[in-house]
Amino acid sequence: MVTLEARSRVAPWASERAQRRLTELESALGGLDAAGVVRAVADALGGHRRAFDEEGIVLYAGTNTMSPRALAVHQASVSSRPSMGWPGEKFQAGLDHLDVLETLAPLRMAALMDGRYAEVRLQSATLANLACYTAFARPGDTIAVLPEAAGGHASHHAQGAAGIRGLRVVDLPYDAAGFAIDHARLPAFLRRERPAIVVIGASLMLFPHDVAAVRAACDEAGATLIYDASHVAGLIAGRRFQRPLADGAHVLTMSTYKSFGGPPGAAIVTRDEELAERVSAAAYPGLTANYDAARLAPLAVTAAELAETGPAYADACMAGATALAAALQASGFAVAAAELGWTTSHHVAVEADAFGGGDEAARALAAGGIYLSGIGLPGQPPGEPMGGLRIGTQEVTRRGLGPDRMPAVADLMARLLIKGEDPARVRPDTLALRASAGEGL
Ligand SMILES: *Cc1c(COP(=O)(O)O)cnc(C)c1O
């Protein structure tokens, strides 16, 4: 029961904590005229740009900064120019220029991600997953996914897209200590549950999956295997970490703005024409009518750039993660998966129970200018607050904070979390470290 003096008008059903923040803003922002709204919005954008783009150190795993060339080709006015159907037979006449984007983006994405066909029209990976569930399963079918504590995404689970499609969700057997699917139990599990779809790939991916082994078990059970590469797409684009489509995933889904470093949105890539055609129909006219074609310009440019620079970028992201994990461990943090060498991706997970859980620890770091999030850890009991902090090195890599700067990052984090130093004293040092960044990748 919420015991606030006033309930939020935006979301009176939200948590007490959220309603406190909302009501504070609702009273500060109420009654503005149009000029007042413009000022409030401009101030908010300026503050956000300073914090994330100019001053802070962003270790949040699910974000990135686009390259200068990709940013330069994003033309906002294209977003409100509706575009429906294939080039050559558009519902709207006169869109021949956009046809170039709509041809380049899928060709470049398919080639880069190791496939033959790419569906690039969907606005988010959540919708990409829903399109696949629509294409490959019917309501009432079973979908087998990674447990939430192992990074299984909301869009894989009953509260998200899988539930919206009316699928019955079962958790894949998982070996928490090994940070891996339990392959000893997988084949019998799939034979028993008979899922139409198996989804692997997660929001925390310290290590690659054994895709070939999962595919073999899927074949026995008649399941379509989806690899959700939302977080690791930038590594895969760099021909590092693993090759899901070459190793047997039927379909790869991905966010285009996390390690991939492109515009917000999604791609669905496959080598199979029949699966691609089904996905295409689910995307349009299934889940989109008009879509934001402006995304496709930075997407095509990002894909073309990664075809050239991806290997060096992926190597640097992974080297940064290993360096940061080692430095965090040396600074007194408990880094997850220590017995396994912490990570072979760009992700690092840190145990956060000692700091009041992942959310609490992330808030303390944000006060000092370091931005990231909490994450559940595979070993933790279900329903508990997130026991870990999740780190991704993709953005610091792009911004020129390489492996040699990771001890300094770990030191800032230790001052904020382990030594409990006043964030106001640490923040200037965060900004100074960010300002000292070298040439990015
Ligand atoms: C972030 C994420 C998504 C969702 O991506 P959106 O583009 O935000 O919808 C899907 N799957 C996984 C594993 C993710 O980490």
Side-chain angles (χ1 to χ4, degrees):
M1 194 55 211
V2 175
T3 55
L4 296 161
E5 294 110 66
R7 299 172 78 214
S8 162
R9 282 180 291 142
V10 171
W13 53 84
S15 72
E16 187 168 337
R17 185 179 193 117
Q19 287 201 56
R20 274 190 207 296
R21 174 66 176 149
L22 284 166
T23 50
E24 176 189 306
L25 290 168
E26 287 163 17
S27 46
L29 299 172
L32 297 175
D33 60 6
V37 168
V38 169
R39 251 193 322 276
V41 166
D43 286 352
L45 290 175
H48 186 269
R49 186 184 60 238
R50 261 194 316 285
F52 282 81
D53 297 336
E54 294 165 11
E55 296 183 349
I57 294 182
V58 180
L59 295 174
Y60 182 64
T63 187
N64 215 327
T65 174
M66 280 200 270
S67 79
R69 288 193 293 187
L71 274 171
V73 298
H74 186 259
Q75 188 169 302
S77 64
V78 174
S79 297
S80 55
R81 301 292 179 204
S83 167
M84 275 198 298
W86 295 117
E89 55 169 35
K90 289 263 176 228
F91 180 72
Q92 303 89 347
L95 295 182
D96 311 19
H97 298 293
L98 295 189
D99 292 351
V100 173
L101 310 184
E102 297 186 29
T103 308
L104 267 177
L107 281 179
R108 288 306 181 126
M109 288 301 294
L112 184 67
M113 302 309 290
D114 235 3
R116 270 198 284 282
Y117 308 96
E119 170 56 63
V120 294
R121 291 172 291 190
L122 293 161
Q123 222 61 29
S124 73
T126 294
L127 285 176
N129 286 337
L130 181 56
C132 289
Y133 306 160
T134 305
F136 309 141
R138 297 165 166 281
D141 283 351
T142 297
I143 183 170
V145 304
L146 290 167
E148 285 178 87
H153 189 257
S155 63
H156 307 163
H157 280 272
Q159 77 273 29
I164 286 182
R165 180 61 176 149
L167 303 180
R168 171 182 161 262
V169 180
V170 293
D171 281 355
L172 290 163
Y174 197 77
D175 166 17
F179 284 80
I181 292 163
D182 186 341
H183 287 282
R185 288 164 54 210
L186 182 68
F189 174 85
L190 293 185
R191 280 196 300 270
R192 189 174 67 244
E193 297 289 347
R194 291 270 150 200
I197 295 173
V198 171
V199 183
I200 58 175
S203 297
L204 177 66
M205 287 209 69
L206 300 173
F207 307 106
H209 288 303
D210 185 343
V211 177
V214 179
R215 170 62 188 267
C218 284
D219 283 348
E220 263 187 63
T224 301
L225 176 58
I226 299 173
Y227 184 108
D228 183 340
S230 285
H231 273 275
V232 292
L235 306 183
I236 293 167
R239 298 280 184 269
R240 299 294 187 268
F241 192 63
Q242 66 182 147
R243 299 179 61 191
L245 292 178
D247 291 344
H250 290 103
V251 173
L252 179 149
T253 62
M254 57 178 275
S255 304
T256 50
Y257 62 94
K258 297 178 179 175
S259 67
F260 195 79
I268 305 170
V269 186
T270 181
R271 297 177 167 191
D272 184 311
E273 181 179 334
E274 197 239 316
L275 298 182
E277 185 176 354
R278 279 152 69 184
V279 164
S280 177
Y284 173 81
L287 294 169
T288 63
N290 302 295
Y291 72 103
D292 179 7
R295 280 176 41 244
L296 301 188
L299 184 61
V301 169
T302 304
E305 288 184 331
L306 285 174
E308 294 172 8
T309 61
Y313 165 65
D315 283 342
C317 289
M318 290 154 64
T322 307
L324 184 53
L328 287 166
Q329 186 85 37
S331 304
F333 286 98
V335 181
E339 316 73 46
L340 303 167
W342 304 309
T343 179
T344 58
S345 74
H346 65 305
H347 280 176
V348 177
V350 176
E351 290 173 22
D353 286 341
F355 316 118
D359 282 339
E360 212 44 59
R363 278 193 278 270
L365 291 169
I370 295 177
Y371 304 109
L372 43 56
S373 72
I375 187 88
L377 290 178
Q380 76 172 70
E384 298 229 324
M386 294 188 286
L389 273 175
R390 182 186 62 179
I391 295 169
T393 55
Q394 70 290 342
E395 180 162 339
V396 287
T397 300
R398 281 212 152 171
R399 292 210 188 268
L401 289 171
D404 59 316
R405 305 298 176 85
M406 292 303 117
V409 172
D411 184 58
L412 293 169
M413 292 175 67
R415 286 169 62 193
L416 288 162
L417 288 180
I418 297 176
K419 297 175 187 151
E421 244 185 79
D422 181 356
R425 287 194 36 210
V426 178
R427 202 180 151 81
D429 294 338
T430 304
L431 272 47
L433 181 60
R434 168 69 197 276
S436 78
E439 199 52 30
L441 277 170

